[in-house]
């Protein structure tokens, strides 16, 4: 009888608990884990496709080195790491460009694949470099910046009370497809069928979630700030603010109210192209709610005015007192924060602020292409694929070509790997001990350390081992005798390990993760050494949240003993565990400061300066493209084989029939999408749920994959050929991917022939 083994889904950041059956090196069956402390057996359609992860023709099994002609040749691990170490040392020793250092570090952990991040950061610190980029700074840093201003620290991150609310306000996301909170489809259906509960959806498209809502506000793309500003002004005009909450828990309300009183409500609503009666109804529902929670996503975080949007959506629940109670928004705990706090430091090249430790991914190319001595010289990419996922693919390709050294650490021969000087093959997330840092729940939060399902492929290494070997070649690590002594301490007196190692870390503190891996890691269950870095996080959590950790674990232990108990529980819970349990009143303990700061001068000035007359579409590019739509069978770029997509194999361009007809096209035709930066040909599909003038291309396509006949074929639209890295938020630098100005044109005969030929090659891969 086949055995079910516990793991987790990695196709969105909810990371539901799974049980899987395997055969050889393949996952053959998937079901929800009913014992999982958070998802409790829930399973969406995407997790069924994890059978395709890590089992395809692009898996890497040997290091690669770039030849002069641009192709790659296999080399052994010692050769690759020795040459990389020599080149890193040369760049570091010769760099005189400033204190941001010569390295740009991109990634540090893909979806569900985070164990390598701390070890990669150790290399970055050895290089004395601060430039860090990743998916978070492509999507979320505007939200982090706002949180830092309002709650006192950029690691203060909000959660939603979707299961207990009586009003769910969904802005710029479609939980039915993208999920984003626990048991999303169940929650949407429950609210839909409960006469005492309501749901409002703000989205230009009539999504599946919008179709289930009591009120759908299909605003014009890019006008969220106008709508949110008008709603807030109407709330204030009706006296809908919660005066008692504002007095007790906030500061700066009068400054906010002064700006909201000047909002030209009718002009703002007219800009959204919504009926005022519908906006007033939304206000009615907000003011009538007992417990409202606001759920947002990339629709506003990668839309126009994105950082301002993040501020206004928080004002919605803070001004009305829907915070820190059951069914409302709140903050959440961390086992170990996924990002840090940055206190105003800026890039010398672009002037953009570091937020959460990151610079905007949109500015990566500028850091390399600037004609200055302080430009970046080394591009290090770990578990990320910016050649496909960063805005303006062409500028990224110029940047990696300008690097004096480029290295990719990944499980697959990605589009970025194809451009790099060296490619280092990592074990996949199912071939090593892994975890996710997406511990985003309130009031009970959980963590899931996953044992491997398979042995690593021969020739691959876990990231922790890759970085440990490289740092050893760089001379950054102590000798074997010292490591053996520290290992003995870890085995006999674990609590004193870091104090005994402190002298070694004085000059190179960044190597602490690798030191834990090579000492404490050797004492852990077979193969679990990469999890050694969690030991420090468990102790920090136990000190920071003693009562809440005790409550979650059901123990009276305290001090170092509580940290040790938490770490041991993490190691011995293959299906995950709750690590903290708060009461609602304790949400205020998670803030940095006594009161929520409502007035953020930069954002109030931005709101006051919004002028509908100055915010009009470019007549040359009159249509709005959703760049990266979530669909039933697309996720992130860790699933490379086209065969996993039985539906939508071409990654169709969705559009209304009249927008296609305007260029003489119909469903099934090949059409060209044209932007300021590029041109992409896609197969057209009619979608009446879109607004007139709105188009959509899917996320997770545009990959060059083996065609099964000795060549390669690009699977679907490579959408970042269309996006403009300079079309970005002025504070966080996040791109406006959900509102890309484009136009449609008929495809040329040559484009149609090429697209059809590639489509047929892809479909052969899908059908086998």
């Amino acid at each position: 009888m086949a055995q079910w083994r516990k793991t987790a889904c990695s196709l969105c950041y909810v990371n539901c608990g799974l049980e899987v059956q395997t055969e050889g090196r393949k996952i053959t069956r998937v079901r929800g884990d009913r014992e999982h402390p958070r998802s409790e057996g829930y399973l969406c359609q995407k997790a069924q496709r994890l059978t395709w992860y890590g089992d395809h023709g692009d898996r890497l099994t040997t290091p690669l080195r770039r030849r002069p002609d641009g192709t790659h040749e296999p080399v052994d691990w010692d050769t690759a790491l020795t040459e990389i170490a020599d080149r890193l040392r040369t760049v570091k020793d010769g760099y005189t460009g400033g204190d941001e250092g010569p390295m740009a570090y991109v990634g540090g952990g893909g979806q569900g694949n985070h164990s390598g991040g701390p070890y990669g950061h150790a290399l970055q610190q050895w290089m004395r470099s601060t430039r860090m980029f990743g998916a978070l700074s492509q999507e979320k840093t505007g939200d982090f910046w706002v949180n830092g201003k309002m709650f006192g620290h950029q690691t203060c991150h909000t959660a939603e009370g979707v299961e207990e609310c009586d009003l769910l306000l969904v802005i710029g996301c479609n939980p039915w497809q993208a999920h984003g909170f626990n048991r999303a489809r169940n929650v949407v259906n429950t609210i839909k069928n409960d006469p005492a509960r309501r749901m409002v959806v703000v989205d230009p498209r009539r999504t599946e979630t919008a179709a289930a809502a009591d009120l759908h506000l299909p605003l014009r793309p890019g006008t969220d700030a106008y709508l949110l500003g008008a709603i807030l002004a109407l709330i204030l005009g009706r006296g809908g603010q919660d005066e008692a909450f504002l007095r007790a828990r906030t500061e700066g309300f009068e400054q906010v109210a002064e700006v909201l009183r000047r909002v030209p409500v009718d002009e703002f609503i007219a800009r959204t192209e919504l009926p005022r009666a519908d906006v007033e109804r939304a206000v009615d529902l907000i003011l009538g709610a007992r417990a409202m929670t606001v759920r947002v996503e990339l629709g506003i975080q990668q839309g126009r005015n994105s950082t301002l949007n993040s501020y206004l959506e928080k004002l919605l629940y803070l001004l009305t007192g829907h915070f820190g109670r059951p069914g409302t928004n709140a903050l959440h705990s961390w086992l170990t924060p996924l990002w840090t706090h940055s206190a105003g430091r800026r890039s010398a090249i672009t002037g953009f602020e570091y937020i959460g430790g990151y610079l905007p991914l949109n500015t990566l190319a500028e850091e390399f292409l600037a004609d200055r001595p302080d430009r970046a010289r080394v591009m290090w990419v770990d578990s990320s694929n910016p050649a496909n996922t960063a805005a303006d693919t062409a500028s990224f390709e110029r940047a990696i070509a300008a690097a004096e050294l480029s290295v990719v650490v990944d499980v697959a021969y990605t589009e970025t790997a194809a451009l790099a000087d060296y490619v280092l093959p990592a074990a996949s997330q199912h071939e090593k001990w892994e975890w996710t840092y997406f511990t985003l729940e309130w009031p009970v939060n959980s963590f899931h350390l996953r044992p491997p399902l398979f042995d690593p492929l021969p020739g691959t290494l876990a990231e922790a081992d890759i970085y440990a070997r490289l740092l050893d070649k760089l001379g950054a690590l102590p000798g074997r005798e010292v490591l053996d002594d520290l290992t003995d301490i870890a085995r006999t007196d674990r609590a004193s390990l870091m104090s005994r190692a402190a002298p070694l870390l004085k000059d190179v503190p960044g190597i602490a993760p690798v030191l834990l891996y090579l000492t404490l890691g050797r004492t852990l269950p077979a193969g679990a050494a990469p999890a050694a870095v969690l030991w420090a996080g468990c102790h920090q959590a136990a000190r920071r949240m003693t009562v809440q950790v005790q409550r979650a674990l059901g123990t009276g232990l305290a001090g170092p003993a509580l940290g040790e108990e938490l770490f041991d529980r993490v190691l011995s819970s293959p299906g995950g565990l709750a690590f903290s349990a708060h009461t609602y009143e304790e949400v205020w303990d998670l803030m940095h400061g006594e009161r929520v700061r409502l007035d953020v001068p930069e954002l109030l000035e931005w709101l006051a300066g919004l002028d509908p007359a100055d915010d009009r579409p470019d007549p040359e590019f009159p249509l709005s493209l959703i760049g990266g739509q979530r669909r039933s069978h697309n996720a992130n770029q860790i699933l490379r084989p086209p065969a996993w997509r039985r539906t939508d194999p071409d990654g169709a361009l969705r559009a209304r029939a009249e927008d296609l007809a305007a260029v003489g096209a119909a469903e099934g035709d090949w059409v060209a999408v044209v932007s300021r930066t590029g041109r992409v040909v896609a197969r057209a599909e009619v979608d009446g749920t879109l607004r007139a003038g709105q188009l959509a291309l899917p996320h997770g396509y545009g990959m060059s994959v083996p065609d099964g006949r000795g060549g390669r074929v690009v699977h679907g639209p490579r959408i970042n050929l269309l996006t403009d890295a300079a079309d970005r938020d002025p504070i966080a630098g996040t791109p406006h991917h959900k509102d890309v100005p484009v136009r449609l044109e008929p495809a040329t005969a040559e484009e149609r022939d090429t697209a059809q030929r590639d489509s047929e090659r892809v479909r052969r891969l899908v059908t086998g």
Side-chain angles (χ1 to χ4, degrees), residues 148-169:
K149 297 294 183 181
M150 301 185 83
F151 301 113
H153 203 269
Q154 289 165 5
T155 61
C156 292
H157 188 250
T158 54
E160 307 91 19
V162 294
E163 294 185 347
E164 296 180 286
C165 69
D166 67 336
L167 175 62
L168 173 59
L169 177 53

Side-chain angles (χ1 to χ4, degrees), residues 124-158:
Q124 184 185 18
Q125 292 193 51
W126 185 87
M127 288 292 292
R128 297 176 187 157
S129 296
T130 60
R131 294 177 171 106
M132 188 163 72
F133 307 81
L136 289 173
S137 63
Q138 183 80 330
E139 301 173 348
K140 301 288 186 179
T141 41
D143 183 68
F144 302 166
W145 189 87
V146 174
N147 289 336
K149 297 294 183 181
M150 301 185 83
F151 301 113
H153 203 269
Q154 289 165 5
T155 61
C156 292
H157 188 250
T158 54

Side-chain angles (χ1 to χ4, degrees), residues 82-267:
T82 299
E83 292 180 2
I84 291 170
D86 289 345
R87 293 178 66 174
L88 286 172
R89 195 179 294 106
T90 298
V91 172
K92 179 184 177 183
D93 291 346
Y95 188 74
T96 59
D99 61 2
E100 289 180 281
M103 174 185 279
Y105 182 85
V106 185
Q111 190 74 273
N113 186 61
H114 292 284
S115 66
Y119 302 102
H121 296 164
L123 173 64
Q124 184 185 18
Q125 292 193 51
W126 185 87
M127 288 292 292
R128 297 176 187 157
S129 296
T130 60
R131 294 177 171 106
M132 188 163 72
F133 307 81
L136 289 173
S137 63
Q138 183 80 330
E139 301 173 348
K140 301 288 186 179
T141 41
D143 183 68
F144 302 166
W145 189 87
V146 174
N147 289 336
K149 297 294 183 181
M150 301 185 83
F151 301 113
H153 203 269
Q154 289 165 5
T155 61
C156 292
H157 188 250
T158 54
E160 307 91 19
V162 294
E163 294 185 347
E164 296 180 286
C165 69
D166 67 336
L167 175 62
L168 173 59
L169 177 53
V170 178
I171 309 175
C173 58
N174 181 18
W176 191 265
Q177 293 290 15
H179 307 282
F181 54 78
N182 284 336
R183 302 176 292 279
R185 290 190 175 186
N186 290 358
V187 170
V188 169
N189 274 331
T190 299
I191 294 175
K192 174 185 175 181
N193 295 319
D194 187 340
R197 304 177 74 185
R198 297 288 182 265
M199 181 163 53
V200 176
V201 172
V202 177
D203 198 302
R205 188 171 78 88
R206 190 164 179 78
T207 64
E208 293 88 345
T209 309
D214 297 273
L215 176 62
H216 174 213
L217 298 176
L219 75 174
R220 182 184 181 90
T223 63
D224 302 271
Y226 292 96
L227 176 61
L228 297 175
I231 288 175
L232 286 163
L234 288 169
I235 289 171
L236 190 65
R238 295 197 201 176
Q241 66 271 20
D242 186 330
E243 295 282 1
F245 174 84
L246 294 172
R247 284 194 303 271
R249 295 297 189 181
T250 73
E251 60 183 348
F253 169 69
E254 282 306 321
Q255 292 89 331
V256 174
E258 181 181 353
V259 174
L260 290 178
R261 292 187 189 105
R262 298 199 305 268
V263 167
V265 172
D266 286 328
E267 292 179 34

